[in-house]
Amino acid sequence: MTRSPAFHVFRTAALLLALIFVLIPVLWMVSMAFKPIQEWSATGDLLTWWPRDPTLDNFRYIFGERTSELIVALERTAGRPILASLLSSVVGTAIAMLAGTAAAYGLSRFGSGRNLPLALIQLRLFPPLAVMIPVMVMWAYLDLIDTWWGLSLVYGIVTLPFAFWLMKTYFDDMPREIEEAALVEGCSRFRVLTRVTLPMMRGPLASSALLVFILNWSDYLIALMLTTREWVTIPVYMASLSSSMTGQLYGAKAALGLIAAVPPVILGIAIQKHLVRGLTFGALKQ
Amino acid sequence: MASIEFRGVSKSYGGTQALRDVSFRIEDNEFFCLFGPPLCGKSTILRLILGLEDPDAGEVLIADRPAAGIGPAERDIAMVFQNLALFPHMTARDNVAFPLVERGRPKAEIAAKVADAAEKLHMTHILHKAPGQLSGGERQRVAIARALVRDPVAFLMDDPISALDARLREETRVELKRIQREVGHTLVYVTHDQEEAMSVADRMVILREGRVEQVGTPVEIYDDPSNAYVAGILGAPEINVMPLGRGRTADGLIAVPDAPEGAASIGIRPENLRLTEGDGARITDVEPLGGFTVVTLSAPDGPDLRALLRGQPDLSPGARVGVEDGTARMFFDRDGRRLRMPAAVPA
C-alpha cells in the first residue's frame, strides 16, 4: 500500500511525541542518578540534562558508604530491600504462574469449573487495596507480616488472574490435534503435558511470567501495608529516602530506580526471541 | 494388521448427531476409504477408532475385540491428522522418532527405523529441520513418516494430501497405495475427493449426515448405487437424473418404455448418453478435455443434461441434437431410493 507523505509525517510526529512522554522521565532519572547533591537539589538554571560533574556518590550512599556531600547516614542500606523485592517478586510470580497455568490448562482441556474464569477475574474487579485491611489482620494472626513469604503469597494471589487469563488464551488457541497426535503416538495424558504442551508453551510462559513479575516488582501499596522493617521492598524503601536536612533525596532515589530497572530489562531482553514467533509455527499444514 | 468393525455406533456432540447407527467392517490389510461431504461423520469415525472419543451407543471392534476402555496409546493405531499436527518445537527427525521414543525402544533401533522411513518418503535431507522451516509438502511427508515409523495395527489418514497441488496429489496418492501394499496394513483413508476415493480404495463407505449410505468397492458402488444420492456423489460429471413422464422422460427427450412400478426418476451416467440426429435438445456448452468432451445440453422443460463423449466430436453450442441412452439405466422412486428391475428371465 502506498501512503501519502502527510501520513508519514504525521506518524513520525506521533511516535516522537509518544517517545518524549515515555522517555523523558526515564532519561531524567538516569541523569539524576549520576549527579552530585549540588546538582540534583538545585533549581532553575542550575538544572542541566547532562551532569556537569558526574559521580557515583548516590550509589555509594544507598549502599551505606559515607560520602563527603551527604553527611546524614542512612538508617538502612538498599541491599536488604533489593533482596526483599527479588525474593517476594520471584516467588510470587512462581506461585501465580504455577497455579494459573495449571488452572488454565485444566479448564481449557477438561472444561470443568465453568465459573472459575469469572471468579478469578473478580479478584481484579476491585483494587487489591480494598481487601488489604482484612488480609493484614489475617496475616498478623498468621505471623506473616514483614516476612518475604507472606508478601510472596499475596503477590501470587493478586497476580494469579493475569497468569490464568493469559495462559488460558494460549491453551485455547493450541490446536487440539497436536495433543491428540501425542496421545495416539503413545503418550499418557501427563506425558503429553511435559513432552509436548509445555515445551510448545515456552514463549507464552516466559512472556506471561515477565508481565506478572513486573506487576509484582512494581508494587508499592501491598508491600507498604504488609512489611514494616526487615522485608520492605524497593518501592517502599525508596519512599523513605529523605532526610530532615535535605528533604527528598532525589539523587539516591534515582540511583535506586536505575538499579530497580535492571531485572525487568534483562528478563525482557532474554525472552524477546520467544515473543516474535507464533505459537504453532510449523505445526500445521500451512 | 487388524480388522476394524463398527456395530450400530451412534455419537452426538451437544445437540448435534454426528453418527447414527453406523455399521461397517474394514477387513485386514484393506485400503478403505471414508467418503462423503464435510460434516458427514468421517472425522468422528476416525476419532472413535483412535479412542479419542467413546461411542454413545454401539461398539467399535479392533481385531475383532471390543475396543471400549482401551486408551489411544494402547490401541496402537497410527494417524495422519488433517492439519498434520506436527510438534513444532522438535526437528523433523524428533517428530518421526516420537512414537518410538515414547514406547521406549532402544536408540539404535530408533535411528535405523527413522532412517528407513525417511528413505521411503525421500525426506532424509530435511530431517534436521524444524517444521517451521519446511514447505507444505515436506510437512506432509514428516506427518506420514511419523505414522509409518512404527508397526501399528492400522493407519488412519484424514485427507492427508489435500494441501498439495494436483500433480503432487496424484504422485503422493500412487505412492501411498504402493506403501500400503508393501507394508501390508489396514489403511483407513478419509477424503472428500471422489476421484481420489475411487482410485485408491479397495472398498469404501459413503456417508451422509452421519449415516452409512452404501459400502462396497468403488466400481460396485458406481455401477450399482443404492440411491440417487450415492449415484450423484460418485462420478464426474455428475449422473443425469431426469423426472419420468409417461413412457418417456418428463421433457420427452428419451423414450423409457420399461420403467418399473413407482419410478419417479431415471438416472443415466454422462458416458451412457449418445447424441443422435434430432432437435429435442440444444447444446449450450462444449468442454473439450482432450481424450473426452463434456457436452451440456438443455431441453425445453427438463434439467440440463451432461454427456461425456469420446474424442473431440465436431459440435458447437447452439446446435440442436437428439439424445439416446445406453442400457445402463437406474430408476429411483420419489424418495430417491433405487428401484431394481426384476431380473430378466433368460429366454
Side-chain angles (χ1 to χ4, degrees):
Chain A
M1 194 163 32
T2 52
R3 288 182 162 129
S4 67
F7 173 85
H8 286 287
V9 171
F10 181 77
R11 187 173 65 173
T12 313
L15 283 174
L16 272 177
L17 197 66
L19 272 180
I20 287 169
F21 269 105
V22 173
L23 285 184
I24 281 190
V26 177
L27 293 177
W28 189 244
M29 179 188 79
V30 175
S31 159
M32 291 270 274
F34 295 99
K35 283 177 178 172
I37 179 166
Q38 295 84 355
E39 286 185 49
W40 56 252
S41 60
T43 51
D45 290 346
L46 290 172
L47 276 179
T48 51
W49 265 103
W50 202 255
R52 278 163 292 169
D53 187 12
T55 170
L56 290 175
D57 275 0
N58 294 319
F59 295 90
R60 292 202 195 100
Y61 178 68
I62 56 174
F63 285 105
E65 248 179 77
R66 295 242 173 167
T67 61
S68 50
E69 311 291 347
L70 284 161
I71 38 167
V72 216
L74 279 171
E75 195 190 338
R76 317 179 54 78
T77 64
R80 191 65 182 248
I82 291 173
L83 178 70
S85 265
L86 277 174
L87 263 178
S88 56
S89 298
V90 167
V91 175
T93 303
I95 293 172
M97 287 306 295
L98 271 174
T101 305
Y105 186 72
L107 202 78
S108 177
R109 290 295 179 273
F110 307 107
S112 47
R114 232 179 280 177
N115 292 324
L116 187 64
L118 269 183
L120 274 174
I121 206 84
Q122 274 169 19
L123 275 175
R124 303 299 312 193
L125 285 182
F126 39 81
L129 205 60
V131 289
M132 265 308 129
I133 293 186
V135 169
M136 249 176 99
V137 175
M138 280 194 287
W139 257 228
Y141 269 108
L142 296 168
D143 248 354
L144 291 174
I145 298 282
D146 205 19
T147 59
W148 64 265
W149 54 92
L151 192 56
S152 304
L153 200 53
V154 174
Y155 281 169
I157 295 167
V158 167
T159 50
L160 177 85
F162 292 101
F164 171 81
W165 276 94
L166 283 169
M167 289 315 294
K168 182 163 184 307
T169 346
Y170 288 116
F171 284 132
D172 286 348
D173 285 349
M174 181 175 161
R176 67 173 183 179
E177 285 86 357
I178 295 180
E179 287 197 336
E180 287 174 352
L183 279 176
V184 167
E185 300 305 349
C187 286
S188 66
R189 196 69 242 191
F190 187 71
R191 188 116 171 100
V192 171
L193 190 65
T194 58
R195 256 288 253 167
V196 175
T197 311
L198 290 181
M200 269 180 71
M201 289 286 164
R202 251 182 312 203
L205 281 169
S207 51
S208 308
L210 176 66
L211 176 81
V212 168
F213 176 81
I214 290 173
L215 285 173
N216 291 336
W217 185 252
S218 58
D219 163 72
Y220 171 63
L221 283 170
I222 297 174
L224 182 68
M225 298 185 76
L226 293 183
T227 58
T228 51
R229 235 190 105 74
E230 288 297 311
W231 293 100
V232 296
T233 58
I234 294 176
V236 178
Y237 175 74
M238 192 185 287
S240 74
L241 284 177
S242 61
S243 81
S244 50
M245 280 175 69
T246 45
Q248 297 290 335
L249 300 173
Y250 289 117
K253 287 181 190 222
L256 186 58
L258 199 57
I259 294 171
V262 169
V265 169
I266 290 178
L267 286 177
I269 291 169
I271 70 162
Q272 201 175 21
K273 71 173 168 99
H274 288 298
L275 301 178
V276 188
R277 284 188 161 193
L279 176 60
T280 58
F281 188 65
L284 308 179
K285 227 168 219 173
Q286 276 312 333
Chain B
M1 281 148 287
S3 62
I4 297 168
E5 189 171 351
F6 273 55
R7 280 190 195 156
V9 172
S10 295
K11 174 80 190 167
S12 58
Y13 298 104
T16 339
Q17 187 91 25
L19 292 181
R20 304 161 204 250
D21 193 22
V22 165
S23 300
F24 60 86
R25 185 180 162 83
I26 303 168
E27 297 298 338
D28 195 9
N29 293 350
E30 199 166 42
F31 200 127
F32 191 87
C33 244
L34 305 177
F35 180 65
L39 303 176
C40 66
K42 296 173 296 206
S43 297
T44 307
I45 289 179
L46 294 188
R47 299 176 61 81
L48 287 166
I49 298 175
L50 288 171
L52 294 171
E53 316 262 357
D54 293 317
D56 296 339
E59 228 184 351
V60 177
L61 294 93
I62 296 171
D64 296 314
R65 279 188 298 276
I70 304 175
E74 288 82 48
R75 291 198 182 186
D76 201 17
I77 291 171
M79 167 84 176
V80 179
F81 285 86
Q82 184 168 27
N83 62 10
L84 304 183
L86 299 178
F87 306 127
H89 57 294
M90 300 180 187
T91 61
R93 182 190 307 280
D94 289 338
N95 265 282
V96 176
F98 190 90
L100 300 174
V101 173
E102 286 310 305
R103 286 177 169 75
R105 298 285 171 74
K107 275 212 171 73
E109 184 196 328
I110 293 174
K113 285 203 166 164
V114 169
D116 190 42
E119 186 88 12
K120 253 187 213 146
L121 288 158
H122 314 295
M123 49 170 280
T124 310
H125 59 291
I126 56 167
L127 278 179
H128 63 282
K129 291 187 181 174
Q133 299 166 293
L134 301 177
S135 71
E138 288 169 334
R139 284 178 204 175
Q140 209 121 29
R141 276 183 274 168
V142 175
I144 294 173
R146 185 172 68 184
L148 283 178
V149 74
R150 64 195 169 98
D151 199 33
V153 297
F155 296 106
L156 312 186
M157 298 191 180
D158 191 353
D159 218 348
I161 62 180
S162 58
L164 305 184
D165 63 65
R167 180 173 293 253
L168 204 52
R169 281 176 75 106
E170 207 170 304
E171 269 174 38
T172 315
R173 198 157 81 192
V174 172
E175 191 74 352
L176 275 177
K177 205 162 178 186
R178 183 184 63 79
I179 291 172
Q180 192 262 345
R181 260 199 307 268
E182 256 172 39
V183 184
H185 278 18
T186 310
L187 179 78
V188 184
Y189 191 94
V190 165
T191 179
H192 60 264
D193 178 334
Q194 59 100 13
E195 188 191 323
E196 190 171 304
M198 292 198 67
S199 69
V200 294
D202 292 329
R203 287 196 315 135
M204 63 195 289
V205 58
I206 312 268
L207 295 158
R208 176 202 196 181
E209 288 167 14
R211 266 187 241 278
V212 171
E213 292 285 335
Q214 196 169 356
V215 184
T217 69
V219 172
E220 269 167 30
I221 297 176
Y222 184 81
D223 285 347
D224 192 13
S226 60
N227 57 45
Y229 177 79
V230 174
I233 201 170
L234 284 190
E238 211 177 292
I239 190 168
N240 300 298
V241 177
M242 289 171 281
L244 278 177
R246 198 177 283 267
R248 298 187 83 83
T249 53
D251 51 17
L253 214 51
I254 299 171
V256 187
D258 54 352
E261 192 70 21
S265 57
I266 179 173
I268 304 170
R269 295 246 177 237
E271 64 269 26
N272 292 332
L273 274 186
R274 282 196 303 270
L275 304 189
T276 58
E277 299 288 321
D279 63 352
R282 195 167 56 86
I283 295 178
T284 55
D285 192 26
V286 178
E287 302 164 58
L289 301 177
F292 293 92
T293 303
V294 178
V295 180
T296 308
L297 306 161
S298 93
D301 28 42
D304 279 3
L305 301 183
R306 313 256 281 162
L308 185 65
L309 306 177
R310 197 171 265 290
Q312 293 140 2
D314 183 23
L315 295 168
S316 53
R320 300 197 73 87
V321 291
V323 180
E324 158 186 305
D325 69 327
T327 48
R329 300 167 154 181
M330 302 166 198
F331 294 100
F332 304 104
D333 72 7
R334 197 163 309 180
D335 302 320
R337 275 190 296 262
R338 178 85 183 276
L339 292 170
R340 302 197 185 261
M341 306 278 276
V345 184

